[in-house]
Amino acid sequence: MLNVEEIRKDFPILSREVNGRKLIYFDNAATTQKPVQVINRVMEFYMKNHANIHRGIHTLSQEASQLYEEAREAIAKMINANPKEIIFTKNTTEAINIVAYTWALRKLKRGDEILTSLMEHHSNITPWITLSQLRGVKVKFIGVNVDGTLKMEDIPKLISKRTRLITITHASNVLGTINDVKGIVKIAHENGIPVSIDAAQSAPHMPINVKDINCEFLAFSGHKMLGPSGTGVLYIKSEILKEIEPTISGGGTIKNVKWIPEMGTCKIDWGEGPEKLEAGTPNIAGVIGLSEAAKYLMKIGLENIERHEKMLVEETMKGLMDIGDVKIYGPMNPNIKVGIVAFNINGLNPHQTALILDQYGIAVRSGFHCAEPIHQIIGAEDGSVRASYYIYNTKSEIEEMLNVIREIVELRRGGEVR
Amino acid sequence: MEKYVKQIIKACGKEADYVVVLKMDKVMEAIERLKSELKGLIDFGGLYMKGIFNGIELNIFRTGKILVKGIENEEDLKRILNKIFS
C-alpha cells in the first residue's frame, strides 16, 4: 500500500492553487511533478559538484563523473540491466530516433520491413516513416481491436522474411492498454527479429525487467518518472550495442581520432560503452536528478505504484459509468491498463471538457495526445480527454473530477450545455 | 487585440481549434467586449458561454480562456480577434 498523504508532502507544487482551486494534476502521462528529493539533488549538484564529466582529472570532474555513472547504475537496477547497456537521452523520442538512425539506418536495406502498431505515439511512427523514405524500407502496422487491445494474432501474419525489426509500445499513451511485450519478443525471436519497446508509459508505472522481456531496445523518459525535464533512457542489449556505430558523434563517442597523413584524413575508433551514443556534454545535472527519482520510485516499489494506479483507474471508470453519457475508450479491465483513462462526454468537444475542468484546477489533457491513428481506430476523431495518474493522486481527487463531470452531464441532460 | 490577448495555443483535433488566453488583468473587460460582440450568446450553467462571431464559434471560460472552433489558421483567428477587440 502507498502512503499517498506522506508522498504528497514531497511534492511542493501540489499545494499550490490553480484558478482559485487546489491543483489536481491528472496529466502525468505527459510529464510528472518532481519531489523535493529530485529538486534538491539537482540544486545540490550545481552548488557542490558541478563540472564536466569524463574529461577532467581534477577532483570536481571526478566527482561529477562518478555521480553520472552512479546514475547509470541506479537506472540499470530499476530495469534489471547492466549499467553498460544504459544510454542517457533527452527523452523517449530521442531514444527511439537513436534506434532508427544508428542501428536501423545502417542495418536495414531497401525492401526490408519494420513492424509497428496503430496504437503508437507519433514518436514511434514518424522515425520509421522517415526511415522508409531514406532507405526504401516498408513499415507495416499491427491493428488494434475495438476494445483497445492489440491484434496479437496479426503479428505472425505480418512477419515476413524481410522483417528486420518490431517496434512496439509497452503501454498505450491514450488508452493505457498494456501490451504483452514478452509474448511479442518471443514471436519475434522465433523469427530472428529484434524488438524495440517504447516504455514511456510503462517504466514509470510498473516493474520492468529487460532480461525477462528479453528485448533488444527499450526506451523511456526520465521526466515522466519524477526526473528532470530533458532526461530519458535507452536500453540496448550489450551484444547489439557492441556493433552499433554512432550517427551523432563527437566528444565522448570515440576511443581515438588519428590523423593519417598519407591518407589525408582522420581514422576514428569508436568507444565501446554507452557513452559512444552520448555525443557532447550530456544533461549531467538532469541525469543525477533522474538517478534520485529512480531511487525514490524503487523505495516506494514499482509493484505498489502499479497497484495504486489500477485502483485509481477502476475508481474513475466505475464513476464515469455511473454518471453515464460518457464514452470511455480502451480496455475496461484495469488489470491490463496503466494509470490512464481516456474518455469523452457525449456531445462535448474534448477541449471544452478540459477547459471546464481547468476552471476547477483539474489538469487533464485533451486532443490526440500525439497519437492520431489510434483515435481514428476508436472512433474519437475529435480526440479525447485523458486523465493520467501517478503516485500522488488520490481517490478524493478523482471524486472531485467526477463531481464536475456529473455537473456537466446533468446540465446537458437539462439541455443547458451543448 | 494585443491589449487583451496573452497567448494563442493551437489545439489538435479534427477541426482546427485554437485556445486564446486572455491577459489576467484584462479578463473581465475582454469578456464584456466578447459578450457585446458575439451573436446568440448562451450561458451554460455558469460553466462556459458560447456565441458566434462571423460564423465562427467561440467558447468563453471564466479562467480567461477562449476556445475558438473551426477556424482555418492563426492569421484568420487574429483577424477575428482584432475585429472583436478593436
Side-chain angles (χ1 to χ4, degrees):
Chain A
M1 257 319 246
L2 255 62
N3 188 342
V4 181
E5 286 315 310
E6 278 305 305
I7 288 171
R8 288 178 69 85
K9 290 178 189 165
D10 292 333
F11 292 82
I13 202 167
L14 297 178
S15 59
R16 74 158 278 187
E17 288 192 348
V18 170
N19 297 323
R21 302 286 186 121
K22 201 170 162 195
L23 167 67
I24 295 180
Y25 187 77
F26 287 163
D27 195 17
N28 294 287
T31 197
T32 58
Q33 300 301 343
K34 318 303 171 197
V36 281
Q37 289 85 343
V38 170
I39 297 165
N40 288 344
R41 192 70 197 90
V42 172
M43 198 165 67
E44 191 187 357
F45 172 73
Y46 278 124
M47 290 174 79
K48 292 183 181 168
N49 314 101
H50 178 252
N52 211 335
I53 56 165
H54 302 150
R55 285 162 178 79
I57 54 165
H58 59 82
T59 304
L60 268 189
S61 179
Q62 284 177 313
E63 283 176 10
S65 300
Q66 190 180 336
L67 290 169
Y68 189 83
E69 291 309 315
E70 281 171 6
R72 222 187 282 282
E73 286 169 22
I75 293 296
K77 189 177 173 192
M78 190 179 136
I79 60 167
N80 195 29
N82 184 314
K84 290 188 185 310
E85 297 171 315
I86 300 297
I87 292 108
F88 287 116
T89 65
K90 64 180 182 208
N91 46 44
T92 305
T93 301
E94 189 185 51
I96 294 170
N97 274 272
I98 289 172
V99 179
Y101 299 113
T102 55
W103 181 82
L105 185 73
R106 290 167 193 269
K107 194 97 176 164
L108 273 54
K109 296 180 178 63
R110 177 169 290 279
D112 284 346
E113 293 173 2
I114 294 166
L115 201 52
T116 185
S117 89
L118 289 170
M119 196 189 279
E120 304 304 311
H121 187 283
H122 294 162
S123 295
N124 202 23
I125 295 176
T126 55
W128 308 111
I129 299 291
T130 306
L131 191 75
S132 76
Q133 291 158 357
L134 291 172
R135 269 286 176 268
V137 299
K138 191 175 175 186
V139 184
K140 288 162 121 180
F141 291 88
I142 305 161
V144 177
N145 295 305
V146 190
D147 68 353
T149 55
L150 196 70
K151 287 188 174 172
M152 285 288 285
E153 68 280 10
D154 280 2
I155 299 174
K157 294 176 214 161
L158 288 165
I159 289 174
S160 79
K161 283 181 182 164
R162 297 301 302 266
T163 310
R164 297 286 178 263
L165 178 73
I166 297 180
T167 179
I168 192 92
T169 187
H170 194 179
S172 160
N173 74 309
V174 175
L175 308 175
T177 316
I178 300 169
N179 290 323
D180 174 15
V181 286
K182 204 176 159 185
I184 294 169
V185 170
K186 189 171 179 292
I187 300 167
H189 286 185
E190 282 166 3
N191 292 277
I193 304 162
V195 178
S196 175
I197 295 170
D198 171 357
Q201 300 299 340
S202 62
H205 305 279
M206 58 197 277
I208 299 280
N209 182 338
V210 287
K211 288 202 171 67
D212 184 49
I213 297 171
N214 201 17
C215 56
E216 279 66 30
F217 307 94
L218 185 128
F220 55 99
S221 295
H223 69 93
K224 291 186 201 287
M225 51 168 275
L226 312 180
S229 298
T231 61
V233 175
L234 174 62
Y235 157 83
I236 305 182
K237 202 182 253 185
S238 56
E239 48 264 49
I240 303 282
L241 184 58
K242 268 181 218 160
E243 66 186 37
I244 288 181
E245 290 190 350
T247 299
I248 297 171
S249 58
T253 65
I254 48 95
K255 208 187 285 174
N256 48 52
V257 179
K258 284 209 170 73
W259 167 241
I260 315 287
E262 56 274 25
M263 291 172 74
T265 188
C266 291
K267 183 178 174 295
I268 303 166
D269 285 324
W270 299 113
E272 284 167 7
E275 64 277 3
K276 71 176 167 183
L277 297 178
E278 295 172 355
T281 299
N283 181 358
I284 306 166
V287 163
I288 290 164
L290 174 60
S291 165
E292 199 63 32
K295 288 174 194 165
Y296 187 94
L297 292 175
M298 285 189 279
K299 195 173 167 195
I300 291 172
L302 270 302
E303 63 288 347
N304 293 325
I305 295 169
E306 186 180 17
R307 205 174 305 124
H308 174 70
E309 290 182 17
K310 286 193 194 311
M311 179 271 291
L312 297 177
V313 164
E314 193 168 11
E315 199 71 16
T316 310
M317 292 202 297
K318 189 175 164 294
L320 290 174
M321 282 188 291
D322 284 348
I323 293 168
D325 286 332
V326 176
K327 170 83 181 152
I328 305 170
Y329 303 103
M332 296 306 287
N333 176 3
N335 292 324
I336 57 165
K337 278 168 78 87
V338 290
I340 292 174
V341 180
F343 64 93
N344 271 320
I345 297 173
N346 292 344
L348 274 195
N349 174 293
H351 301 311
Q352 286 173 314
T353 306
L355 286 167
I356 293 171
L357 290 169
D358 179 52
Q359 294 178 146
Y360 292 83
I362 302 169
V364 294
R365 196 147 279 240
S366 56
F368 290 139
H369 326 304
C370 295
E372 202 170 341
I374 190 64
H375 280 93
Q376 291 172 256
I377 304 289
I378 61 173
E381 292 189 350
D382 243 358
S384 60
V385 181
R386 180 182 71 184
S388 54
Y389 307 128
Y390 212 26
I391 50 174
Y392 36 70
N393 291 127
T394 65
K395 273 167 88 165
S396 65
E397 287 182 318
I398 287 169
E399 195 47 50
E400 283 192 46
M401 178 179 74
L402 292 171
N403 285 340
V404 179
I405 293 169
R406 193 174 292 113
E407 191 184 343
I408 301 169
V409 169
E410 280 168 9
L411 282 166
R412 273 188 55 74
R413 282 180 188 141
E416 289 186 59
V417 179
R418 281 175 280 172
Chain B
M1 186 195 94
E2 286 77 13
K3 187 181 169 190
Y4 297 100
V5 175
K6 186 169 116 184
Q7 198 183 352
I8 293 173
I9 304 162
K10 171 94 174 72
C12 56
K14 187 170 64 183
E15 293 176 337
D17 295 342
Y18 286 89
V19 176
V20 177
V21 184
L22 298 170
K23 287 182 180 166
M24 193 60 86
D25 59 335
K26 294 284 177 192
V27 169
M28 297 315 289
E29 195 182 325
I31 288 178
E32 286 310 310
R33 282 276 193 128
L34 285 158
K35 281 163 80 173
S36 66
E37 294 290 334
L38 267 56
K39 300 244 181 316
L41 194 73
I42 311 167
D43 185 337
F44 295 110
L47 290 175
Y48 71 105
M49 287 181 288
K50 184 159 86 174
I52 306 289
F53 185 85
N54 280 6
I56 299 294
E57 183 186 310
L58 284 88
N59 299 258
I60 307 159
F61 297 83
R62 60 173 182 262
T63 45
K65 290 175 186 160
I66 308 161
L67 173 65
V68 187
K69 292 171 73 178
I71 197 139
E72 281 297 309
N73 53 53
E74 199 169 320
E75 288 315 303
D76 285 356
L77 173 64
K78 283 179 179 168
R79 241 188 311 276
I80 282 175
L81 292 172
N82 273 322
K83 277 187 191 170
I84 293 171
F85 293 126
S86 61

